[in-house]
Amino acid sequence: APDQPSAPPAIASQSGGCGVAGGRMTDTRRRVKVYTLNEDRQWDDRGTGHVSSCYVERLKGMSLLVRAESDGSLLLESKINPNTAYQKQQDTLIVWSEAENYDLALSFQEKAGCDEIWEKICQVQGKDPSVDITQDLVDESEEERFDDMSSPGLELPSCELSRLEEIAELVASSLPSPLRREKLALALENEGYIKKLLEIFHVCEDLENIEGLHHLYEIIKGIFLLNRTALFEVMFSEECIMDVIGCLEYDPSLSQSRKHREFLTKTAKFKEVIPISDPELKQKIHQTYRVQYIQDMVLPTPSVFEENMLSTLHSFIFFNKVEIVGMLQEDEKFLTDLFAQLTDEATDEEKRQELVNFLKEFCAFSQTLQPQNRDAFFKTLSNMGILPALEVILGMDDAQVRSAATDIFSYLVEYNPSMVREFVMQEAQQNDDDILLINLIIEHMICDTDPELGGAVLLMGLLRTLVDPENMLATANKTEKTEFLGFFYKHCMHVLTAPLLANTTEDKPSKDDFQTAQLLALILELLTFCVEHHTYHIKNYIINKDILRRVLVLMASKHAFLALCALRFKRKIIGLKDEFYNRYIMKSFLFEPVVKAFLNNGSRYNLMNSAIIEMFEFIRVEDIKSLTAHVIENYWKALEDVDYVQTFKGLKLRFEQQRERQDNPKLDSMRSILRNHRYRRDARTLEDEEEMWFNTDEDDMEDGEAVVPPSDKPKSDEDIMDPISKFMERKKLKESEEKEVLLKTNLSGRQSPSFKLSFSSGTKSNLTSQSSASSLPGSPGSPGSPGSPGSPGSVSKSTSQMAAITTKGGLVGLVDYPDDDEDDDEDEDKEETLPLSKKAKLESS
């Protein structure tokens, strides 16, 4: 069989999700990509399908079949030959040779599917499925195979300048075959061959033999791809590593050689911020830096097939870092000196910057540690006083030092937020709010000079982690949530909201530049998170500090993203369906800025339009009665003309239904009986007319119009109005009360906001002077007007959420819109245009 190239790309990286074949979801375990090897030794993708194994009569044996997921066509039909060498690679690949120059591979989406097919192949060949290859690899001929068995190793050409091309070809030809790679690696190890190659490198450089240098580049690159730790230890030794880097400077694909050695010896300087006494540790640090440089800068970006061939190089760097962290951690004198100099006021700025950068890199190295070792690492740093040290550093003027300190703080928060919380709560007992660690972090966030606020975004993420109750300990310290949130709202929240409050003292933001808008959006994002997760702490803060009213000032921002952040904050509050919040919203008339933004947006169909409508739709669908009544009573005139969605008409209908229930408790009880009948399907039945009335009233007309079942013919106006007559008797009793209300309109009460004239501050102060809402008996389409569709036309009695104004003296009276006379005229016009059947019924009441 021909030598196998490195593995084809895995299916997971090619496409995600399940395939659909024949209109149904298929089993992702058997989902595969089929690859064939082309003449250039590259894998060609032949399509994605689903593999199965079954007996094929034509082939006279068990076979592998792959059918395309797109159309079910046959992508592959291959008999499992008892003598073919099948290889399983990387848990999701099966590779084999079908003919002399025809190699195939199946790349599975899931390991489980690969294992199933592998078991079938092994079963046919009588092999143990635990092996990774079913047959011994056969080289080009039986003769060579016999030679391989008799000679344990690979014989390398003598290491001479004249034979460099031959050596390069041998290395390149050995890479695709696992067996030949193994033999080549052993030969290179045993004969000290690498050092001999590096001696020739010096000769080639002295002679300026560019062709030889190009061959050496290919040889050294090939040795890297052998992926052997023993070879790396030789190549990365103190005496060899710079020569290895030198070989890799002469890439044949580049017109000019690179100057990597010059950079490492002259430009890159090793600074010992604290003297390291251990020579082994110092050598390990130098070696790790250079190997990392080779991986990142010197070696060409590995192809898909070479990626796994460099896994040992990654491991080499990884374990070096683990060793460095361990050695430094055990050196108590080193760490003590480090923290002492960090916090010493006498340390000059340049030195402090080096110390902080070292500590940052030290923490970055710790990410390579196993969890238990990382625990010990951060515990050591905590005992050394890393948090008080960070507090000192963050209070300094040097922006670079503060930036590095922020990165170190992020490592600590991500690793153990509880450790940080415990520290800040303890320091709060001794220090002023201004120098608390969390307040320093908030201040750096607020003062970020980056136009894109990159640092502020990072710090906001850290703050969110710290205030997230999900990661607060419940076992070791059951009161952590209560204690920390109490501390945060007492000592830190005022610092976080200061820019927001400072910018919203008027009716529109006092500063509305892009950077300020971005910062306020970040603050609002965190406040929205708090609303969702902090319950009573944030509720008390919002209501006592009138935060929502100040946030809604940002609805007037010229930056749409900030206005939407403000709206999202209010939407999150409404989503909680908390009556404390609802009463606060109604008392301060906090729908006013939202409705104003909606009207200012005009007929534009954009995100602002959709988001505002969605908020009102939520109130309608969830039937939040207090907010429904408040919106209709105060803002119906502004919203009644919006007919491209049924949301506002649906809200009006909800409002009328509420009033029906309040006016007729018996009706409400009948509704609950009916609801039980619908969902519990008991034997109770209702008269057809009542059933139709309730259906229309509560369900079908929620979106503004009745839904007529397709099997029924549309009913006439008389049919629809008939059930209403049952409730018309009540209207007669209310007529006198309604007239009395109209006479008392000018006695007391507030004027509703006039949207035609815009929201004036005078109107607003008048709005907020009364805590109770009023009904709108004279407005077009209101429950008290004859033109209201589907409404019995009653005026509700005084309730906690509805239409009455109460004083210590009792009921004062109901109020009307200032343009009540005009509305009455409109109502008369509407009455004239009603169908005769409706008009007759209404007049009869």
Side-chain angles (χ1 to χ4, degrees):
D3 296 334
Q4 296 297 337
S6 47
I11 187 171
S13 66
Q14 299 297 310
S15 59
C18 298
V20 179
R24 61 187 177 80
M25 298 302 288
T26 52
D27 185 0
T28 57
R29 285 185 311 163
R30 295 289 185 90
R31 189 165 184 260
V32 294
K33 271 192 179 292
V34 180
Y35 291 93
T36 58
L37 198 66
N38 63 25
E39 292 177 358
D40 299 325
R41 308 293 292 166
Q42 301 291 319
W43 289 103
D44 291 335
D45 182 356
R46 295 298 184 186
T48 304
H50 293 83
V51 64
S52 60
S53 60
C54 58
Y55 186 84
V56 176
E57 183 65 35
R58 185 172 59 81
L59 299 175
K60 304 293 183 191
M62 289 295 290
S63 304
L64 297 175
L65 304 178
V66 179
R67 293 198 176 275
E69 68 178 2
S70 55
D71 56 8
S73 60
L74 203 59
L75 293 178
L76 175 72
E77 186 180 60
S78 172
K79 180 181 176 182
I80 302 173
N81 194 310
N83 299 317
T84 296
Y86 290 86
Q87 292 182 63
K88 186 166 74 161
Q89 301 174 8
Q90 303 170 32
D91 289 335
T92 55
L93 284 167
I94 296 177
V95 185
W96 73 99
S97 294
E98 189 79 358
E100 188 174 342
N101 287 313
Y102 190 66
D103 290 12
L104 284 160
L106 293 180
S107 175
F108 287 76
Q109 182 165 329
E110 296 184 17
K111 178 180 181 297
C114 184
D115 290 344
E116 284 180 23
I117 295 299
W118 185 250
E119 284 182 20
K120 293 283 185 186
I121 293 169
C122 291
Q123 188 180 343
V124 171
Q125 294 198 341
K127 302 289 182 180
D128 183 350
S130 63
V131 300
D132 286 337
I133 183 164
T134 60
Q135 306 286 332
D136 291 331
L137 277 176
V138 180
D139 282 341
E140 268 63 15
S141 68
E142 288 296 323
E143 238 178 87
E144 285 189 19
R145 185 182 175 208
F146 179 77
D147 291 342
D148 284 340
M149 290 171 66
S150 58
S151 61
L154 183 75
E155 189 173 340
L156 291 167
S158 58
C159 197
E160 298 170 9
L161 180 59
S162 60
R163 305 191 71 175
L164 283 178
E165 185 175 1
E166 186 184 343
I167 298 167
E169 286 176 0
L170 175 67
V171 171
S173 65
S174 299
L175 288 175
S177 164
L179 185 63
R180 290 170 67 85
R181 283 156 56 93
E182 184 74 20
K183 289 182 176 181
L184 175 61
L186 286 171
L188 289 168
E189 284 174 42
N190 296 336
E191 298 180 23
Y193 208 79
I194 292 174
K195 290 184 178 179
K196 294 176 185 175
L197 286 169
L198 296 177
E199 288 171 11
I200 295 178
F201 166 70
H202 285 291
V203 174
C204 286
E205 273 209 315
D206 292 342
L207 298 174
E208 295 185 359
N209 183 341
I210 299 301
E211 187 182 355
L213 291 169
H214 285 170
H215 288 316
L216 280 164
Y217 171 89
E218 296 293 351
I219 292 166
I220 295 297
K221 180 190 166 191
I223 293 173
F224 267 96
L225 295 175
L226 291 175
N227 214 18
R228 296 279 291 204
T229 306
L231 295 177
F232 287 155
E233 285 173 354
V234 176
M235 294 164 75
F236 299 151
S237 64
E238 189 74 24
E239 58 179 311
C240 293
I241 189 165
M242 295 307 285
D243 290 337
V244 168
I245 292 170
C247 291
L248 293 171
E249 289 180 354
Y250 294 95
D251 185 346
S253 63
L254 300 175
S255 57
Q256 198 171 347
S257 64
R258 298 293 178 87
K259 305 292 184 186
H260 296 302
R261 285 171 295 173
E262 185 179 319
F263 172 82
L264 288 171
T265 52
K266 295 180 182 176
T267 309
K269 298 293 182 186
F270 176 67
K271 292 183 179 179
E272 291 183 77
V273 288
I274 304 286
I276 295 172
S277 54
D278 186 347
E280 186 187 347
L281 172 59
K282 196 181 294 188
Q283 190 273 329
K284 189 73 72 178
I285 291 171
H286 281 295
Q287 184 190 57
T288 304
Y289 175 76
R290 289 164 179 168
V291 176
Q292 185 94 53
Y293 182 82
I294 289 172
Q295 178 185 258
D296 295 340
M297 305 300 297
V298 182
L299 284 175
T301 304
S303 68
V304 175
F305 311 118
E306 294 170 342
E307 187 70 52
N308 292 323
M309 290 183 168
L310 292 172
S311 59
T312 305
L313 181 62
H314 299 311
S315 300
F316 188 93
I317 295 168
F318 174 88
F319 288 114
N320 263 20
K321 288 181 177 179
V322 171
E323 280 189 63
I324 291 168
V325 172
M327 293 164 110
L328 284 173
Q329 196 178 325
E330 289 165 11
D331 191 339
E332 285 190 19
K333 183 181 183 306
F334 179 88
L335 289 178
T336 306
D337 289 350
L338 173 69
F339 284 106
Q341 291 189 37
L342 262 177
T343 53
D344 188 353
E345 291 182 6
T347 306
D348 64 69
E349 285 189 9
E350 187 178 349
K351 176 71 170 176
R352 197 187 311 276
Q353 188 174 333
E354 290 173 358
L355 290 165
V356 173
N357 285 334
F358 170 81
L359 187 56
K360 173 184 167 182
E361 194 171 357
F362 191 35
C363 290
F365 271 32
S366 74
Q367 302 305 297
T368 61
L369 298 174
Q370 295 296 319
Q372 64 271 23
N373 296 338
R374 206 178 311 160
D375 284 348
F377 172 81
F378 281 111
K379 193 168 283 185
T380 301
L381 289 187
S382 180
N383 294 338
M384 288 286 174
I386 189 168
L387 285 166
L390 283 179
E391 200 167 50
V392 171
I393 299 164
L394 285 167
M396 293 179 178
D397 296 331
D398 191 324
Q400 285 185 313
V401 169
R402 290 202 311 266
S403 174
T406 301
D407 290 336
I408 296 167
F409 183 69
S410 71
Y411 285 120
L412 295 170
V413 171
E414 286 167 16
Y415 167 70
N416 191 347
S418 288
M419 178 178 78
V420 178
R421 291 189 202 106
E422 187 179 348
F423 169 75
V424 295
M425 285 192 287
Q426 285 175 355
E427 65 163 351
Q429 298 167 7
Q430 302 150 9
N431 298 336
D432 296 333
D433 286 1
D434 293 345
I435 58 171
L436 294 180
L437 180 59
I438 291 190
N439 286 346
L440 289 171
I441 293 294
I442 293 172
E443 283 170 21
H444 290 320
M445 183 194 80
I446 291 169
C447 301
D448 188 6
T449 54
D450 177 8
E452 296 298 322
L453 294 187
V457 171
L458 168 67
L459 293 171
M460 184 59 72
L462 298 178
L463 284 173
R464 175 184 284 211
T465 302
L466 287 174
V467 301
D468 187 355
E470 294 296 320
N471 62 47
M472 293 184 185
L473 297 176
T475 50
N477 181 3
K478 292 187 177 178
T479 59
E480 183 179 15
K481 178 179 175 182
T482 307
E483 284 183 7
F484 181 74
L485 292 183
F487 153 81
F488 184 78
Y489 280 88
K490 182 178 179 182
H491 298 283
C492 308
M493 186 57 101
H494 67 279
V495 183
L496 178 67
T497 55
L500 172 69
L501 297 175
N503 211 35
T504 54
T505 52
E506 306 296 331
D507 288 342
K508 61 181 182 179
S510 51
K511 279 181 71 180
D512 205 19
D513 58 281
F514 179 71
Q515 195 161 354
T516 302
Q518 272 196 308
L519 175 64
L520 294 180
L522 277 176
I523 293 171
L524 276 179
E525 187 181 329
L526 186 60
L527 290 177
T528 305
F529 177 84
C530 293
V531 167
E532 187 175 4
H533 292 91
H534 290 178
T535 58
Y536 65 90
H537 288 95
I538 188 71
K539 188 192 304 180
N540 291 340
Y541 191 81
I542 287 173
I543 294 174
N544 291 337
K545 302 287 185 183
D546 199 15
I547 295 294
L548 180 56
R549 184 175 64 80
R550 303 294 284 271
V551 166
L552 291 175
V553 169
L554 302 176
M555 294 286 292
S557 169
K558 67 184 179 186
H559 300 285
F561 69 88
L562 180 57
L564 286 164
C565 281
L567 184 64
R568 190 183 308 122
F569 179 69
K570 178 170 183 177
R571 173 64 177 81
K572 185 66 73 177
I573 288 173
I574 289 175
L576 296 176
K577 299 192 282 189
D578 184 314
E579 278 304 311
F580 282 101
Y581 277 131
N582 292 349
R583 284 198 290 274
Y584 162 60
I585 289 170
M586 293 186 293
K587 183 177 179 181
S588 301
F589 295 94
L590 295 181
F591 276 103
E592 186 172 316
V594 176
V595 175
K596 185 175 181 181
F598 183 67
L599 297 178
N600 288 342
N601 191 63
S603 58
R604 282 175 292 179
Y605 177 49
N606 54 17
L607 192 55
M608 178 64 72
N609 174 277
S610 299
I612 293 175
I613 289 173
E614 189 279 334
M615 185 169 73
F616 285 112
E617 181 68 11
F618 176 82
I619 293 170
R620 183 191 73 79
V621 171
E622 295 296 323
D623 197 13
I624 305 176
K625 295 179 175 53
S626 55
L627 295 184
T628 301
H630 177 76
V631 169
I632 295 302
E633 289 171 351
N634 294 287
Y635 309 106
W636 172 245
K637 287 194 72 175
L639 303 171
E640 64 178 333
D641 293 333
V642 179
D643 54 6
Y644 53 86
V645 289
Q646 297 300 313
T647 296
F648 300 109
K649 288 184 171 56
L651 266 178
K652 183 73 166 17
L653 187 63
R654 286 280 196 201
F655 174 67
E656 290 166 356
Q657 291 168 353
Q658 289 174 31
R659 294 183 60 164
E660 286 298 337
R661 295 189 190 101
Q662 289 163 357
D663 289 349
N664 192 344
K666 190 179 290 186
L667 176 66
D668 204 25
S669 64
M670 289 170 70
R671 287 181 191 280
S672 64
I673 291 168
L674 178 59
R675 204 172 283 117
N676 289 338
H677 166 68
R678 274 191 203 151
Y679 297 113
R680 295 181 187 171
R681 302 206 179 271
D682 60 12
R684 192 169 303 180
T685 57
L686 292 166
E687 292 177 15
D688 290 343
E689 286 181 340
E690 287 181 352
E691 177 74 14
M692 192 282 294
W693 164 254
F694 288 128
N695 277 339
T696 304
D697 191 26
E698 188 165 72
D699 294 332
D700 295 340
M701 293 187 70
E702 277 183 0
D703 60 357
E705 60 186 56
V707 178
V708 182
S711 58
D712 296 345
K713 293 179 181 178
K715 298 187 189 300
S716 67
D717 287 339
E718 290 188 13
D719 292 332
I720 293 171
M721 295 303 292
D722 244 342
I724 301 177
S725 61
K726 296 183 177 184
F727 301 95
M728 282 297 136
E729 289 304 316
R730 285 182 294 103
K731 187 172 182 193
K732 203 166 186 179
L733 298 173
K734 298 290 179 184
E735 285 290 337
S736 57
E737 186 180 334
E738 186 175 341
K739 288 175 184 173
E740 191 176 333
V741 167
L742 293 173
L743 291 171
K744 289 184 179 179
T745 297
N746 297 322
L747 295 179
S748 69
R750 60 174 181 78
Q751 300 295 310
S752 294
S754 172
F755 289 92
K756 294 176 184 175
L757 300 173
S758 85
F759 294 82
S760 66
S761 57
T763 305
K764 187 168 184 182
S765 62
N766 206 3
L767 290 178
T768 54
S769 66
Q770 299 288 346
S771 61
S772 302
S774 68
S775 68
L776 315 171
S779 63
S782 72
S785 63
S788 172
S791 164
S794 62
V795 176
S796 68
K797 296 178 181 177
S798 172
T799 67
S800 62
Q801 301 157 344
M802 300 282 297
I805 297 171
T806 55
T807 66
K808 290 183 181 177
L811 185 66
V812 172
L814 299 173
V815 295
D816 194 10
Y817 278 106
D819 53 352
D820 182 50
D821 294 336
E822 295 173 24
D823 294 342
D824 287 344
D825 294 339
E826 287 176 22
D827 290 348
E828 286 172 16
D829 293 341
K830 287 183 183 177
E831 192 172 329
E832 289 301 317
T833 60
L834 284 172
L836 289 174
S837 58
K838 283 191 181 180
K839 190 172 177 184
K841 290 182 185 298
L842 291 168
E843 285 174 350
S844 68
S845 65

